[in-house]
Amino acid sequence: MKTTKLKEMTSELLQKEGLTKIRQDYKYLIELFKEMLISIGEQDLAEGLPIDNFSVKKTTNYSNEKFTQAIGMCFELLNLVEENAATQYRRKSETQFGIKSTKGSWGYTLDKWKTEGINECKIAEKLRTVKVSPVLTAHPTEAKRLTVIDIHRELYLLLVKKENPNWSTSEQSLLKEEITSLMERWWRTGEIYLEKPRLEDERNNLMHYFNNVFPEAVKLTDQRLKDAWKEMEFSPELLEWPEHFPLIQFGSWVGGDRDGHPFVTPEFTASTLRLHRKLVLEMIKKQLIDLAAKLSFSSYQNSISQVFLAELEVKAKLFGSKGKKALDRNPSEPLRQYINLLLVRLNNTIKGNFNLGEKGYFKSSIDLAAELKELRLLLIDLGATQIAKQWLFPIERLVQCFGFYLTKLDIRQNSAYHEKAISQILTASGFTDCNYGSWDEEKRLAFLNEELKSKRPFLVAGVPCGVEADNVLGYLREIKTYVDLYGTEGIGSIIVSMTRSLSDLLVVFLLLREVGLQDSNLPVVPLLETVDDLIAGPEILKGFLNHPIVKKQRENSESFTQEVMLGYSDSNKDGGILTSRWSIYKAEENLTKAAKEFDVKLCFFHGRGGTISRGGGKIHRFLDSMPEGSMSGHIKMTVQGETIANLFANRLTATYNLEMFVAGTARQSMVEEVEVKNEQRYQIMDQIVELTRDTYVSLLEHPNFIEFYTAVTPIDVLEQSKIGSRPVRRTGQRSLEDLRSIPWVFSWNQSRFNITGWFGTGTALVEFQKQHPKDFDQLKQLAKDWPFLKYSLIQIESNLLNSDSEIMNAFADFVKNLEVKKELMGLVLSDYENGLDEIAKIMGTSVELRRISKLDDNKLRNNSLKALHSIQIDYLTKWRALKELNSKESDNYLMELLLLVNALSGGLKGTG
């Protein structure tokens, strides 16, 4: 008991040290920023920076534009300081309390299993079945320019460098100069996109992560697992080679996601697939060259088998003069000769030289992996196991995780778009009854089932059909070209967004047939987005798994897994945050149950956004809150917009987040389904969620809601922004249904309402307590014992704490109809206050005692945020008055407002 209390006290002390460090480091950087501004003649602006008590001093001696840029940079400096402080805190914690002290880590996970008495062989077996895939998207939520993101990376590295306590005075001075120079570069670089980023720009940004960050992050995550394994004193031979480790693969939507994105052409998809392949093959080539340099084994010092030497001669002979050169380059060094021959074969693969047949190039990464394993077995046979682990393991692991494709490209399109495409194909084929979109489900299924019995296409290739059909068939033909050359391993899934029926999935098989991909076994995946679709999902899944085409795929596969994507954004927009979370929770349970009827494992693909409203938040908590027994060990998860840089911009942060994802997946996949369902728990949640949805819907269905929404949020500014290459609305119509979920969330965040992250909860909890006082008491216990409820309430509370009633009221003044303003603001503010009060009751203690770090973070930001909001409201008033006149003055205000969007996003640590 004493030990536990002492540990708690020391942990609290570490937390306080962390908060102090944030303030000290932030003050250090602001002082340097101030020095830089003074050096370029911005004395007055420097005086207004948030140093004393972290408050700002806005004067009229400088422009609002400069002030906004300066405060925006201060926010980003604070974000970098907090990221570094979190890394240093984890280091200190593990040094003091051991590797298991970081919640959610490999150390924590293995220690938990060991404490529970789980056998090390069972743990090793479980690790080998885990497969995780972070999928990077370019959703329009990254407000910062790529150039500025690069500057942030450089600055973060200098901040880490500063941690070294042994720098001399002159070295410290040099470091200050580097930081100051970097700040000046940043100041002189425009913060916002003046034009929308091109798709090529977004792709290049992602390539930085796939090429430079993730290979290293995988390596460091593996090392964290090895360290934890050793700490637990488990048998080392159970965790030695790549096949013993969880499989980590990556995915991308840039170049494949065309849902409402007209600029993703078939040609762009083709060039993206080629770029992925080119980059990873070059990466593998470099590592093979490095490996050859390490394996300088002499045949005079090592007893190499004659069989191996004879194989070398045979392989060299196949390659002719190049093979002879590969052997002659390193005489009496057979391991180097072996790698030289692999490089000849790899070069043929890179150049597309297939003249020598399958032995002359690598048809897939599996062939290279087999050759590397042969080299591993030779090293083990020579007694050089440690050499194999040190130098060969990294390239084996690289090939295992990145293949010859670097990242798997998902292809996504909306079901409604497919309907138009099929209608156009039928028209071009001469069908009289060709309006597929108007058919009911029964007629669609009858048509599809009959058509899919045949392998003949509708049309001869090249016959034009219409915009939608030509586009769909165009990119599918590019995929066919790629698959014919390189196989399917570089293609992820064919995702159908807004899947509402079985026919939405089956129609994809018809489109694949049209280009000759009917036997490719490319996975067709439903994306269930709205609350109603999540409810209908299990029946859709049963029909799909039972269809003859999918039945055949299941029978022909040794390890068939069906992917199902779950949408967090539209379900939130549909019914509010608690409705969304609960609908997804129950969908996971019901979909898993449906799949079990067919003895099929599911891979859930979680379409999470960056903000809490769209499924964001800490990865380990997210995973721990899933239903028991719903995690198969296979999982995909989107990483969107600014979240990519937040999670992965810096090496140690990237490693931490990847470890949380992989370890959390393994931990959750060990949790078995409970035999007896807690019906009371479900009844309580169903009642609360019904009340929540009623409140939420009453706001959205209010006759004056659109008028209210467009007045109290800067959605009109966001529609003019250059964030992301994709349009804000799916089809361009000015309706709530057509508005994408991202700008919906982003706009509420900008005016500090954040209602997408909490609205409906407070009113529901008050009403539930009145109607069911005993169950409300039970809710308090559930919040302690049930990770799902605890995680949901903490997230909703975080959103409430990020909201600001003072700013809300200021934006509400834009509503001209005073009756509407009074009625709707009454609803919003009442729910806001009730939400904070009711969650505090359920949690048992006040927010001040529970959320020390969160409140301290808010304190550091609030004064600066309020100063920016004041300017934002002033400029918004002026711009709205002038914008219809199309004057130059209105354009100037718009540019200022876009700069404010960027600065506020940094201060609020997120967009949409």
Side-chain angles (χ1 to χ4, degrees), residues 111 115 140 175 191 247 289 351 434 478 596 714 788 868 896:
D111 180 68
T115 305
L175 187 59
E191 277 279 320
L247 181 58
I289 292 168
K351 291 173 184 174
C434 56
E478 292 294 355
K596 276 185 180 173
F788 167 77
L868 291 184
E896 295 277 1

Side-chain angles (χ1 to χ4, degrees), residues 338 365-375 377 396 399:
Y338 184 84
S365 61
I366 295 167
D367 299 331
L368 175 57
E371 296 280 13
L372 293 171
K373 191 169 184 181
E374 188 178 333
L375 181 57
L377 295 173
E396 282 197 88
V399 171

Side-chain angles (χ1 to χ4, degrees), residues 38-55:
I38 291 169
S39 73
I40 60 170
E42 297 288 355
Q43 174 85 36
D44 289 334
L45 182 58
E47 292 301 324
L49 292 184
I51 295 175
D52 301 319
N53 299 318
F54 301 94
S55 60

Side-chain angles (χ1 to χ4, degrees), residues 641-695:
E642 88 255 350
T643 313
I644 298 170
N646 293 348
L647 296 183
F648 300 118
N650 302 304
R651 191 174 60 118
L652 292 179
T653 308
T655 302
Y656 168 74
N657 286 303
L658 192 58
E659 179 184 0
M660 291 295 115
F661 188 15
V662 188
T665 300
R667 196 169 56 253
Q668 192 62 18
S669 68
M670 194 72 91
V671 178
E672 295 178 359
E673 187 179 2
V674 289
E675 290 182 19
V676 182
K677 204 170 171 180
N678 184 335
E679 293 297 343
Q680 188 194 13
R681 175 194 290 183
Y682 284 77
Q683 190 181 348
I684 287 172
M685 280 307 299
D686 282 339
Q687 289 168 333
I688 292 171
V689 165
E690 189 179 347
L691 291 166
T692 304
R693 194 175 187 186
D694 287 347
T695 306

Side-chain angles (χ1 to χ4, degrees), residues 780-792:
K780 295 175 184 178
Q781 191 58 44
L782 282 176
K784 290 177 186 171
D785 302 337
W786 188 18
F788 167 77
L789 183 60
K790 183 178 181 181
Y791 176 68
S792 298

